[in-house]
PDB file of all heavy atoms in Angstrom:
ATOM      1  N   GLU A   1     -39.887 131.372 -54.726  1.00 84.00           N
ATOM      2  CA  GLU A   1     -39.231 132.462 -53.976  1.00 84.00           C
ATOM      3  C   GLU A   1     -38.259 133.209 -54.880  1.00 84.00           C
ATOM      4  O   GLU A   1     -37.055 133.073 -54.722  1.00 84.00           O
ATOM      5  CB  GLU A   1     -38.421 131.900 -52.806  1.00 84.00           C
ATOM      6  CG  GLU A   1     -39.130 130.995 -51.856  1.00 84.00           C
ATOM      7  CD  GLU A   1     -38.160 130.460 -50.811  1.00 84.00           C
ATOM      8  OE1 GLU A   1     -37.558 131.285 -50.106  1.00 84.00           O
ATOM      9  OE2 GLU A   1     -37.993 129.245 -50.744  1.00 84.00           O
ATOM     10  N   PRO A   2     -38.739 133.999 -55.810  1.00 87.00           N
ATOM     11  CA  PRO A   2     -37.812 134.630 -56.767  1.00 87.00           C
ATOM     12  C   PRO A   2     -37.042 135.827 -56.189  1.00 87.00           C
ATOM     13  O   PRO A   2     -37.150 136.944 -56.647  1.00 87.00           O
ATOM     14  CB  PRO A   2     -38.739 135.051 -57.902  1.00 87.00           C
ATOM     15  CG  PRO A   2     -40.049 135.285 -57.236  1.00 87.00           C
ATOM     16  CD  PRO A   2     -40.118 134.299 -56.112  1.00 87.00           C
ATOM     17  N   SER A   3     -36.245 135.561 -55.148  1.00 89.00           N
ATOM     18  CA  SER A   3     -35.435 136.634 -54.578  1.00 89.00           C
ATOM     19  C   SER A   3     -34.038 136.601 -55.186  1.00 89.00           C
ATOM     20  O   SER A   3     -33.557 135.544 -55.620  1.00 89.00           O
ATOM     21  CB  SER A   3     -35.342 136.497 -53.057  1.00 89.00           C
ATOM     22  OG  SER A   3     -34.533 135.394 -52.708  1.00 89.00           O
ATOM     23  N   GLU A   4     -33.406 137.742 -55.195  1.00 89.00           N
ATOM     24  CA  GLU A   4     -32.045 137.838 -55.735  1.00 89.00           C
ATOM     25  C   GLU A   4     -31.096 136.923 -54.964  1.00 89.00           C
ATOM     26  O   GLU A   4     -30.242 136.257 -55.551  1.00 89.00           O
ATOM     27  CB  GLU A   4     -31.562 139.287 -55.663  1.00 89.00           C
ATOM     28  CG  GLU A   4     -30.228 139.519 -56.325  1.00 89.00           C
ATOM     29  CD  GLU A   4     -29.803 140.982 -56.316  1.00 89.00           C
ATOM     30  OE1 GLU A   4     -30.668 141.867 -56.259  1.00 89.00           O
ATOM     31  OE2 GLU A   4     -28.584 141.216 -56.376  1.00 89.00           O
ATOM     32  N   ALA A   5     -31.256 136.858 -53.652  1.00 90.00           N
ATOM     33  CA  ALA A   5     -30.383 136.038 -52.814  1.00 90.00           C
ATOM     34  C   ALA A   5     -30.513 134.550 -53.159  1.00 90.00           C
ATOM     35  O   ALA A   5     -29.514 133.831 -53.243  1.00 90.00           O
ATOM     36  CB  ALA A   5     -30.693 136.270 -51.341  1.00 90.00           C
ATOM     37  N   LYS A   6     -31.731 134.076 -53.353  1.00 91.00           N
ATOM     38  CA  LYS A   6     -31.958 132.658 -53.684  1.00 91.00           C
ATOM     39  C   LYS A   6     -31.396 132.320 -55.068  1.00 91.00           C
ATOM     40  O   LYS A   6     -30.809 131.263 -55.268  1.00 91.00           O
ATOM     41  CB  LYS A   6     -33.449 132.320 -53.641  1.00 91.00           C
ATOM     42  CG  LYS A   6     -34.026 132.302 -52.255  1.00 91.00           C
ATOM     43  CD  LYS A   6     -33.628 131.042 -51.553  1.00 91.00           C
ATOM     44  CE  LYS A   6     -34.345 130.932 -50.219  1.00 91.00           C
ATOM     45  NZ  LYS A   6     -33.876 129.818 -49.432  1.00 91.00           N
ATOM     46  N   ILE A   7     -31.585 133.215 -56.017  1.00 90.00           N
ATOM     47  CA  ILE A   7     -31.066 132.987 -57.369  1.00 90.00           C
ATOM     48  C   ILE A   7     -29.537 132.996 -57.344  1.00 90.00           C
ATOM     49  O   ILE A   7     -28.900 132.160 -57.975  1.00 90.00           O
ATOM     50  CB  ILE A   7     -31.643 134.019 -58.362  1.00 90.00           C
ATOM     51  CG1 ILE A   7     -33.152 133.778 -58.513  1.00 90.00           C
ATOM     52  CG2 ILE A   7     -30.929 133.942 -59.712  1.00 90.00           C
ATOM     53  CD1 ILE A   7     -33.890 134.855 -59.273  1.00 90.00           C
ATOM     54  N   GLU A   8     -28.958 133.915 -56.585  1.00 88.00           N
ATOM     55  CA  GLU A   8     -27.500 133.970 -56.461  1.00 88.00           C
ATOM     56  C   GLU A   8     -26.961 132.698 -55.804  1.00 88.00           C
ATOM     57  O   GLU A   8     -25.929 132.155 -56.217  1.00 88.00           O
ATOM     58  CB  GLU A   8     -27.090 135.196 -55.644  1.00 88.00           C
ATOM     59  CG  GLU A   8     -25.600 135.435 -55.611  1.00 88.00           C
ATOM     60  CD  GLU A   8     -25.238 136.721 -54.891  1.00 88.00           C
ATOM     61  OE1 GLU A   8     -25.947 137.726 -55.057  1.00 88.00           O
ATOM     62  OE2 GLU A   8     -24.238 136.696 -54.164  1.00 88.00           O
ATOM     63  N   GLU A   9     -27.658 132.198 -54.812  1.00 88.00           N
ATOM     64  CA  GLU A   9     -27.263 130.957 -54.149  1.00 88.00           C
ATOM     65  C   GLU A   9     -27.281 129.783 -55.133  1.00 88.00           C
ATOM     66  O   GLU A   9     -26.365 128.960 -55.161  1.00 88.00           O
ATOM     67  CB  GLU A   9     -28.246 130.691 -52.998  1.00 88.00           C
ATOM     68  CG  GLU A   9     -27.902 129.526 -52.112  1.00 88.00           C
ATOM     69  CD  GLU A   9     -28.935 129.367 -51.004  1.00 88.00           C
ATOM     70  OE1 GLU A   9     -29.215 130.343 -50.290  1.00 88.00           O
ATOM     71  OE2 GLU A   9     -29.459 128.239 -50.874  1.00 88.00           O
ATOM     72  N   GLU A  10     -28.304 129.723 -55.971  1.00 89.00           N
ATOM     73  CA  GLU A  10     -28.395 128.664 -56.986  1.00 89.00           C
ATOM     74  C   GLU A  10     -27.283 128.821 -58.019  1.00 89.00           C
ATOM     75  O   GLU A  10     -26.687 127.837 -58.461  1.00 89.00           O
ATOM     76  CB  GLU A  10     -29.766 128.670 -57.660  1.00 89.00           C
ATOM     77  CG  GLU A  10     -29.899 127.732 -58.842  1.00 89.00           C
ATOM     78  CD  GLU A  10     -29.672 126.252 -58.549  1.00 89.00           C
ATOM     79  OE1 GLU A  10     -29.666 125.839 -57.377  1.00 89.00           O
ATOM     80  OE2 GLU A  10     -29.484 125.488 -59.516  1.00 89.00           O
ATOM     81  N   ALA A  11     -26.980 130.057 -58.402  1.00 89.00           N
ATOM     82  CA  ALA A  11     -25.892 130.306 -59.361  1.00 89.00           C
ATOM     83  C   ALA A  11     -24.566 129.795 -58.803  1.00 89.00           C
ATOM     84  O   ALA A  11     -23.789 129.153 -59.512  1.00 89.00           O
ATOM     85  CB  ALA A  11     -25.809 131.795 -59.686  1.00 89.00           C
ATOM     86  N   LYS A  12     -24.302 130.055 -57.536  1.00 87.00           N
ATOM     87  CA  LYS A  12     -23.075 129.571 -56.902  1.00 87.00           C
ATOM     88  C   LYS A  12     -23.060 128.048 -56.846  1.00 87.00           C
ATOM     89  O   LYS A  12     -22.032 127.418 -57.062  1.00 87.00           O
ATOM     90  CB  LYS A  12     -22.931 130.161 -55.494  1.00 87.00           C
ATOM     91  CG  LYS A  12     -22.513 131.604 -55.509  1.00 87.00           C
ATOM     92  CD  LYS A  12     -22.319 132.144 -54.121  1.00 87.00           C
ATOM     93  CE  LYS A  12     -21.935 133.608 -54.186  1.00 87.00           C
ATOM     94  NZ  LYS A  12     -21.785 134.205 -52.866  1.00 87.00           N
ATOM     95  N   ARG A  13     -24.211 127.448 -56.538  1.00 87.00           N
ATOM     96  CA  ARG A  13     -24.298 125.992 -56.492  1.00 87.00           C
ATOM     97  C   ARG A  13     -23.965 125.386 -57.851  1.00 87.00           C
ATOM     98  O   ARG A  13     -23.307 124.359 -57.943  1.00 87.00           O
ATOM     99  CB  ARG A  13     -25.701 125.552 -56.040  1.00 87.00           C
ATOM    100  CG  ARG A  13     -25.778 124.053 -55.744  1.00 87.00           C
ATOM    101  CD  ARG A  13     -27.200 123.554 -55.667  1.00 87.00           C
ATOM    102  NE  ARG A  13     -27.890 123.593 -56.937  1.00 87.00           N
ATOM    103  CZ  ARG A  13     -27.691 122.752 -57.957  1.00 87.00           C
ATOM    104  NH1 ARG A  13     -26.774 121.818 -57.881  1.00 87.00           N
ATOM    105  NH2 ARG A  13     -28.391 122.852 -59.076  1.00 87.00           N
ATOM    106  N   GLN A  14     -24.382 126.075 -58.918  1.00 88.00           N
ATOM    107  CA  GLN A  14     -24.116 125.603 -60.278  1.00 88.00           C
ATOM    108  C   GLN A  14     -22.655 125.813 -60.699  1.00 88.00           C
ATOM    109  O   GLN A  14     -22.212 125.267 -61.690  1.00 88.00           O
ATOM    110  CB  GLN A  14     -25.015 126.329 -61.288  1.00 88.00           C
ATOM    111  CG  GLN A  14     -26.438 125.892 -61.300  1.00 88.00           C
ATOM    112  CD  GLN A  14     -27.210 126.555 -62.430  1.00 88.00           C
ATOM    113  OE1 GLN A  14     -26.635 126.993 -63.434  1.00 88.00           O
ATOM    114  NE2 GLN A  14     -28.511 126.626 -62.277  1.00 88.00           N
ATOM    115  N   GLY A  15     -21.924 126.652 -59.952  1.00 87.00           N
ATOM    116  CA  GLY A  15     -20.543 126.941 -60.322  1.00 87.00           C
ATOM    117  C   GLY A  15     -20.417 128.044 -61.359  1.00 87.00           C
ATOM    118  O   GLY A  15     -19.435 128.099 -62.095  1.00 87.00           O
ATOM    119  N   MET A  16     -21.423 128.925 -61.410  1.00 91.00           N
ATOM    120  CA  MET A  16     -21.406 130.025 -62.379  1.00 91.00           C
ATOM    121  C   MET A  16     -20.331 131.056 -62.013  1.00 91.00           C
ATOM    122  O   MET A  16     -20.114 131.332 -60.842  1.00 91.00           O
ATOM    123  CB  MET A  16     -22.769 130.721 -62.396  1.00 91.00           C
ATOM    124  CG  MET A  16     -22.874 131.803 -63.444  1.00 91.00           C
ATOM    125  SD  MET A  16     -24.376 132.783 -63.252  1.00 91.00           S
ATOM    126  CE  MET A  16     -23.795 134.039 -62.127  1.00 91.00           C
ATOM    127  N   ILE A  17     -19.663 131.569 -63.031  1.00 90.00           N
ATOM    128  CA  ILE A  17     -18.761 132.695 -62.790  1.00 90.00           C
ATOM    129  C   ILE A  17     -19.437 133.955 -63.307  1.00 90.00           C
ATOM    130  O   ILE A  17     -20.206 133.920 -64.259  1.00 90.00           O
ATOM    131  CB  ILE A  17     -17.362 132.504 -63.436  1.00 90.00           C
ATOM    132  CG1 ILE A  17     -17.434 132.440 -64.953  1.00 90.00           C
ATOM    133  CG2 ILE A  17     -16.679 131.278 -62.886  1.00 90.00           C
ATOM    134  CD1 ILE A  17     -16.080 132.462 -65.619  1.00 90.00           C
ATOM    135  N   THR A  18     -19.149 135.081 -62.645  1.00 90.00           N
ATOM    136  CA  THR A  18     -19.764 136.343 -63.027  1.00 90.00           C
ATOM    137  C   THR A  18     -19.031 136.945 -64.226  1.00 90.00           C
ATOM    138  O   THR A  18     -17.915 136.527 -64.563  1.00 90.00           O
ATOM    139  CB  THR A  18     -19.717 137.351 -61.865  1.00 90.00           C
ATOM    140  OG1 THR A  18     -18.339 137.677 -61.601  1.00 90.00           O
ATOM    141  CG2 THR A  18     -20.385 136.805 -60.612  1.00 90.00           C
ATOM    142  N   MET A  19     -19.650 137.941 -64.841  1.00 92.00           N
ATOM    143  CA  MET A  19     -18.994 138.628 -65.961  1.00 92.00           C
ATOM    144  C   MET A  19     -17.695 139.271 -65.490  1.00 92.00           C
ATOM    145  O   MET A  19     -16.696 139.246 -66.213  1.00 92.00           O
ATOM    146  CB  MET A  19     -19.932 139.673 -66.573  1.00 92.00           C
ATOM    147  CG  MET A  19     -21.014 139.031 -67.383  1.00 92.00           C
ATOM    148  SD  MET A  19     -22.160 140.087 -68.298  1.00 92.00           S
ATOM    149  CE  MET A  19     -21.598 141.714 -68.173  1.00 92.00           C
ATOM    150  N   LYS A  20     -17.700 139.826 -64.291  1.00 92.00           N
ATOM    151  CA  LYS A  20     -16.480 140.444 -63.764  1.00 92.00           C
ATOM    152  C   LYS A  20     -15.382 139.387 -63.614  1.00 92.00           C
ATOM    153  O   LYS A  20     -14.225 139.629 -63.986  1.00 92.00           O
ATOM    154  CB  LYS A  20     -16.763 141.119 -62.423  1.00 92.00           C
ATOM    155  CG  LYS A  20     -15.597 141.887 -61.859  1.00 92.00           C
ATOM    156  CD  LYS A  20     -16.008 142.616 -60.601  1.00 92.00           C
ATOM    157  CE  LYS A  20     -14.881 143.452 -60.039  1.00 92.00           C
ATOM    158  NZ  LYS A  20     -15.297 144.148 -58.814  1.00 92.00           N
ATOM    159  N   GLN A  21     -15.713 138.217 -63.084  1.00 92.00           N
ATOM    160  CA  GLN A  21     -14.726 137.154 -62.926  1.00 92.00           C
ATOM    161  C   GLN A  21     -14.217 136.667 -64.281  1.00 92.00           C
ATOM    162  O   GLN A  21     -13.017 136.433 -64.440  1.00 92.00           O
ATOM    163  CB  GLN A  21     -15.327 135.988 -62.131  1.00 92.00           C
ATOM    164  CG  GLN A  21     -15.551 136.308 -60.673  1.00 92.00           C
ATOM    165  CD  GLN A  21     -16.375 135.259 -59.956  1.00 92.00           C
ATOM    166  OE1 GLN A  21     -17.219 134.587 -60.553  1.00 92.00           O
ATOM    167  NE2 GLN A  21     -16.140 135.120 -58.661  1.00 92.00           N
ATOM    168  N   ASP A  22     -15.114 136.527 -65.262  1.00 93.00           N
ATOM    169  CA  ASP A  22     -14.691 136.131 -66.602  1.00 93.00           C
ATOM    170  C   ASP A  22     -13.743 137.183 -67.184  1.00 93.00           C
ATOM    171  O   ASP A  22     -12.738 136.849 -67.807  1.00 93.00           O
ATOM    172  CB  ASP A  22     -15.914 135.939 -67.507  1.00 93.00           C
ATOM    173  CG  ASP A  22     -15.558 135.328 -68.856  1.00 93.00           C
ATOM    174  OD1 ASP A  22     -14.637 134.489 -68.911  1.00 93.00           O
ATOM    175  OD2 ASP A  22     -16.211 135.687 -69.853  1.00 93.00           O
ATOM    176  N   GLY A  23     -14.057 138.455 -66.948  1.00 94.00           N
ATOM    177  CA  GLY A  23     -13.180 139.532 -67.402  1.00 94.00           C
ATOM    178  C   GLY A  23     -11.817 139.473 -66.737  1.00 94.00           C
ATOM    179  O   GLY A  23     -10.780 139.649 -67.395  1.00 94.00           O
ATOM    180  N   ILE A  24     -11.791 139.210 -65.443  1.00 93.00           N
ATOM    181  CA  ILE A  24     -10.515 139.098 -64.709  1.00 93.00           C
ATOM    182  C   ILE A  24      -9.682 137.959 -65.286  1.00 93.00           C
ATOM    183  O   ILE A  24      -8.459 138.092 -65.448  1.00 93.00           O
ATOM    184  CB  ILE A  24     -10.766 138.882 -63.202  1.00 93.00           C
ATOM    185  CG1 ILE A  24     -11.485 140.076 -62.593  1.00 93.00           C
ATOM    186  CG2 ILE A  24      -9.492 138.512 -62.465  1.00 93.00           C
ATOM    187  CD1 ILE A  24     -10.661 141.213 -62.095  1.00 93.00           C
ATOM    188  N   LEU A  25     -10.313 136.856 -65.617  1.00 92.00           N
ATOM    189  CA  LEU A  25      -9.575 135.743 -66.225  1.00 92.00           C
ATOM    190  C   LEU A  25      -8.976 136.170 -67.562  1.00 92.00           C
ATOM    191  O   LEU A  25      -7.847 135.799 -67.895  1.00 92.00           O
ATOM    192  CB  LEU A  25     -10.490 134.524 -66.409  1.00 92.00           C
ATOM    193  CG  LEU A  25     -10.963 133.853 -65.116  1.00 92.00           C
ATOM    194  CD1 LEU A  25     -11.988 132.762 -65.412  1.00 92.00           C
ATOM    195  CD2 LEU A  25      -9.795 133.306 -64.317  1.00 92.00           C
ATOM    196  N   LYS A  26      -9.698 136.988 -68.320  1.00 94.00           N
ATOM    197  CA  LYS A  26      -9.179 137.503 -69.599  1.00 94.00           C
ATOM    198  C   LYS A  26      -8.022 138.480 -69.373  1.00 94.00           C
ATOM    199  O   LYS A  26      -7.078 138.517 -70.153  1.00 94.00           O
ATOM    200  CB  LYS A  26     -10.306 138.133 -70.413  1.00 94.00           C
ATOM    201  CG  LYS A  26     -11.231 137.067 -71.017  1.00 94.00           C
ATOM    202  CD  LYS A  26     -12.369 137.664 -71.780  1.00 94.00           C
ATOM    203  CE  LYS A  26     -13.169 136.662 -72.556  1.00 94.00           C
ATOM    204  NZ  LYS A  26     -13.645 135.488 -71.883  1.00 94.00           N
ATOM    205  N   VAL A  27      -8.076 139.233 -68.287  1.00 94.00           N
ATOM    206  CA  VAL A  27      -6.966 140.134 -67.942  1.00 94.00           C
ATOM    207  C   VAL A  27      -5.722 139.300 -67.640  1.00 94.00           C
ATOM    208  O   VAL A  27      -4.624 139.618 -68.107  1.00 94.00           O
ATOM    209  CB  VAL A  27      -7.335 141.024 -66.730  1.00 94.00           C
ATOM    210  CG1 VAL A  27      -6.115 141.709 -66.149  1.00 94.00           C
ATOM    211  CG2 VAL A  27      -8.382 142.056 -67.131  1.00 94.00           C
ATOM    212  N   LEU A  28      -5.882 138.232 -66.879  1.00 92.00           N
ATOM    213  CA  LEU A  28      -4.742 137.382 -66.532  1.00 92.00           C
ATOM    214  C   LEU A  28      -4.154 136.691 -67.757  1.00 92.00           C
ATOM    215  O   LEU A  28      -2.968 136.378 -67.786  1.00 92.00           O
ATOM    216  CB  LEU A  28      -5.150 136.348 -65.481  1.00 92.00           C
ATOM    217  CG  LEU A  28      -5.485 136.929 -64.108  1.00 92.00           C
ATOM    218  CD1 LEU A  28      -6.059 135.856 -63.198  1.00 92.00           C
ATOM    219  CD2 LEU A  28      -4.266 137.579 -63.476  1.00 92.00           C
ATOM    220  N   GLU A  29      -4.983 136.470 -68.786  1.00 92.00           N
ATOM    221  CA  GLU A  29      -4.507 135.874 -70.042  1.00 92.00           C
ATOM    222  C   GLU A  29      -3.867 136.909 -70.960  1.00 92.00           C
ATOM    223  O   GLU A  29      -3.319 136.560 -71.999  1.00 92.00           O
ATOM    224  CB  GLU A  29      -5.673 135.219 -70.782  1.00 92.00           C
ATOM    225  CG  GLU A  29      -6.259 134.013 -70.088  1.00 92.00           C
ATOM    226  CD  GLU A  29      -7.572 133.549 -70.705  1.00 92.00           C
ATOM    227  OE1 GLU A  29      -7.993 134.104 -71.746  1.00 92.00           O
ATOM    228  OE2 GLU A  29      -8.184 132.636 -70.141  1.00 92.00           O
ATOM    229  N   GLY A  30      -3.959 138.197 -70.610  1.00 93.00           N
ATOM    230  CA  GLY A  30      -3.385 139.244 -71.440  1.00 93.00           C
ATOM    231  C   GLY A  30      -4.294 139.702 -72.571  1.00 93.00           C
ATOM    232  O   GLY A  30      -3.859 140.407 -73.473  1.00 93.00           O
ATOM    233  N   VAL A  31      -5.564 139.318 -72.540  1.00 96.00           N
ATOM    234  CA  VAL A  31      -6.512 139.688 -73.593  1.00 96.00           C
ATOM    235  C   VAL A  31      -6.913 141.148 -73.494  1.00 96.00           C
ATOM    236  O   VAL A  31      -7.049 141.841 -74.500  1.00 96.00           O
ATOM    237  CB  VAL A  31      -7.768 138.781 -73.535  1.00 96.00           C
ATOM    238  CG1 VAL A  31      -8.843 139.244 -74.501  1.00 96.00           C
ATOM    239  CG2 VAL A  31      -7.389 137.336 -73.806  1.00 96.00           C
ATOM    240  N   SER A  32      -7.137 141.624 -72.261  1.00 96.00           N
ATOM    241  CA  SER A  32      -7.591 143.002 -72.071  1.00 96.00           C
ATOM    242  C   SER A  32      -6.946 143.583 -70.818  1.00 96.00           C
ATOM    243  O   SER A  32      -6.208 142.900 -70.109  1.00 96.00           O
ATOM    244  CB  SER A  32      -9.122 143.047 -71.962  1.00 96.00           C
ATOM    245  OG  SER A  32      -9.584 144.376 -72.079  1.00 96.00           O
ATOM    246  N   SER A  33      -7.263 144.841 -70.544  1.00 96.00           N
ATOM    247  CA  SER A  33      -6.701 145.528 -69.378  1.00 96.00           C
ATOM    248  C   SER A  33      -7.690 145.487 -68.222  1.00 96.00           C
ATOM    249  O   SER A  33      -8.900 145.370 -68.417  1.00 96.00           O
ATOM    250  CB  SER A  33      -6.374 146.984 -69.726  1.00 96.00           C
ATOM    251  OG  SER A  33      -7.572 147.696 -69.968  1.00 96.00           O
ATOM    252  N   ILE A  34      -7.187 145.626 -67.021  1.00 95.00           N
ATOM    253  CA  ILE A  34      -8.047 145.637 -65.840  1.00 95.00           C
ATOM    254  C   ILE A  34      -8.989 146.834 -65.884  1.00 95.00           C
ATOM    255  O   ILE A  34     -10.157 146.736 -65.490  1.00 95.00           O
ATOM    256  CB  ILE A  34      -7.219 145.585 -64.527  1.00 95.00           C
ATOM    257  CG1 ILE A  34      -8.131 145.404 -63.304  1.00 95.00           C
ATOM    258  CG2 ILE A  34      -6.369 146.838 -64.369  1.00 95.00           C
ATOM    259  CD1 ILE A  34      -8.794 144.065 -63.218  1.00 95.00           C
ATOM    260  N   GLU A  35      -8.527 147.961 -66.399  1.00 94.00           N
ATOM    261  CA  GLU A  35      -9.378 149.155 -66.496  1.00 94.00           C
ATOM    262  C   GLU A  35     -10.583 148.886 -67.398  1.00 94.00           C
ATOM    263  O   GLU A  35     -11.694 149.307 -67.099  1.00 94.00           O
ATOM    264  CB  GLU A  35      -8.574 150.354 -67.029  1.00 94.00           C
ATOM    265  CG  GLU A  35      -7.500 150.862 -66.086  1.00 94.00           C
ATOM    266  CD  GLU A  35      -6.203 150.036 -66.127  1.00 94.00           C
ATOM    267  OE1 GLU A  35      -6.023 149.229 -67.054  1.00 94.00           O
ATOM    268  OE2 GLU A  35      -5.392 150.198 -65.201  1.00 94.00           O
ATOM    269  N   GLU A  36     -10.355 148.193 -68.497  1.00 95.00           N
ATOM    270  CA  GLU A  36     -11.432 147.874 -69.429  1.00 95.00           C
ATOM    271  C   GLU A  36     -12.444 146.938 -68.780  1.00 95.00           C
ATOM    272  O   GLU A  36     -13.652 147.126 -68.913  1.00 95.00           O
ATOM    273  CB  GLU A  36     -10.854 147.253 -70.707  1.00 95.00           C
ATOM    274  CG  GLU A  36     -11.879 146.909 -71.749  1.00 95.00           C
ATOM    275  CD  GLU A  36     -12.579 148.104 -72.381  1.00 95.00           C
ATOM    276  OE1 GLU A  36     -12.190 149.268 -72.145  1.00 95.00           O
ATOM    277  OE2 GLU A  36     -13.540 147.867 -73.126  1.00 95.00           O
ATOM    278  N   VAL A  37     -11.985 145.949 -68.048  1.00 95.00           N
ATOM    279  CA  VAL A  37     -12.886 145.004 -67.390  1.00 95.00           C
ATOM    280  C   VAL A  37     -13.685 145.710 -66.296  1.00 95.00           C
ATOM    281  O   VAL A  37     -14.898 145.511 -66.169  1.00 95.00           O
ATOM    282  CB  VAL A  37     -12.111 143.795 -66.839  1.00 95.00           C
ATOM    283  CG1 VAL A  37     -12.977 142.959 -65.904  1.00 95.00           C
ATOM    284  CG2 VAL A  37     -11.582 142.956 -67.981  1.00 95.00           C
ATOM    285  N   LEU A  38     -13.046 146.553 -65.516  1.00 93.00           N
ATOM    286  CA  LEU A  38     -13.767 147.279 -64.464  1.00 93.00           C
ATOM    287  C   LEU A  38     -14.784 148.238 -65.065  1.00 93.00           C
ATOM    288  O   LEU A  38     -15.875 148.401 -64.516  1.00 93.00           O
ATOM    289  CB  LEU A  38     -12.786 148.008 -63.544  1.00 93.00           C
ATOM    290  CG  LEU A  38     -11.871 147.083 -62.720  1.00 93.00           C
ATOM    291  CD1 LEU A  38     -10.897 147.906 -61.900  1.00 93.00           C
ATOM    292  CD2 LEU A  38     -12.678 146.136 -61.852  1.00 93.00           C
ATOM    293  N   ARG A  39     -14.455 148.853 -66.178  1.00 92.00           N
ATOM    294  CA  ARG A  39     -15.403 149.741 -66.854  1.00 92.00           C
ATOM    295  C   ARG A  39     -16.628 148.953 -67.275  1.00 92.00           C
ATOM    296  O   ARG A  39     -17.761 149.371 -67.050  1.00 92.00           O
ATOM    297  CB  ARG A  39     -14.747 150.400 -68.068  1.00 92.00           C
ATOM    298  CG  ARG A  39     -15.675 151.351 -68.835  1.00 92.00           C
ATOM    299  CD  ARG A  39     -15.120 151.715 -70.210  1.00 92.00           C
ATOM    300  NE  ARG A  39     -14.987 150.577 -71.107  1.00 92.00           N
ATOM    301  CZ  ARG A  39     -16.007 150.005 -71.776  1.00 92.00           C
ATOM    302  NH1 ARG A  39     -17.235 150.436 -71.625  1.00 92.00           N
ATOM    303  NH2 ARG A  39     -15.790 148.976 -72.569  1.00 92.00           N
ATOM    304  N   MET A  40     -16.420 147.790 -67.857  1.00 90.00           N
ATOM    305  CA  MET A  40     -17.517 146.948 -68.321  1.00 90.00           C
ATOM    306  C   MET A  40     -18.340 146.432 -67.138  1.00 90.00           C
ATOM    307  O   MET A  40     -19.555 146.448 -67.156  1.00 90.00           O
ATOM    308  CB  MET A  40     -16.966 145.774 -69.125  1.00 90.00           C
ATOM    309  CG  MET A  40     -17.963 144.705 -69.539  1.00 90.00           C
ATOM    310  SD  MET A  40     -18.376 143.401 -68.336  1.00 90.00           S
ATOM    311  CE  MET A  40     -16.815 142.812 -67.789  1.00 90.00           C
ATOM    312  N   ALA A  41     -17.665 145.993 -66.082  1.00 85.00           N
ATOM    313  CA  ALA A  41     -18.343 145.378 -64.934  1.00 85.00           C
ATOM    314  C   ALA A  41     -19.171 146.391 -64.154  1.00 85.00           C
ATOM    315  O   ALA A  41     -20.145 146.026 -63.516  1.00 85.00           O
ATOM    316  CB  ALA A  41     -17.324 144.708 -64.025  1.00 85.00           C
ATOM    317  N   GLU A  42     -18.795 147.660 -64.202  1.00 80.00           N
ATOM    318  CA  GLU A  42     -19.500 148.677 -63.446  1.00 80.00           C
ATOM    319  C   GLU A  42     -20.618 149.340 -64.227  1.00 80.00           C
ATOM    320  O   GLU A  42     -21.385 150.110 -63.667  1.00 80.00           O
ATOM    321  CB  GLU A  42     -18.509 149.708 -62.913  1.00 80.00           C
ATOM    322  CG  GLU A  42     -17.586 149.090 -61.881  1.00 80.00           C
ATOM    323  CD  GLU A  42     -16.428 149.997 -61.484  1.00 80.00           C
ATOM    324  OE1 GLU A  42     -16.345 151.122 -61.999  1.00 80.00           O
ATOM    325  OE2 GLU A  42     -15.620 149.556 -60.659  1.00 80.00           O
TER     326      GLU A  42
END
């Protein structure tokens, strides 16, 4: 069943973080700006 919803469900089960979430963590560490992360994520 290669649906986006099923793959996303498996990703959550695995504890995967998204690129946007990884970027937000870098913003909180002072590595980059929120504008830069949102630009990349979009």
Side-chain angles (χ1 to χ4, degrees):
E1 307 176 58
S3 71
E4 186 177 334
K6 289 283 187 187
I7 293 170
E8 187 175 321
E9 186 179 307
E10 173 60 15
K12 285 183 182 178
R13 190 195 68 74
Q14 285 186 23
M16 184 190 89
I17 64 171
T18 65
M19 286 185 7
K20 185 175 183 180
Q21 290 169 331
D22 188 35
I24 297 273
L25 293 173
K26 286 178 171 51
V27 166
L28 292 172
E29 293 169 5
V31 173
S32 193
S33 67
I34 188 69
E35 293 81 14
E36 181 67 8
V37 168
L38 294 177
R39 180 194 63 78
M40 173 277 310
E42 293 170 1

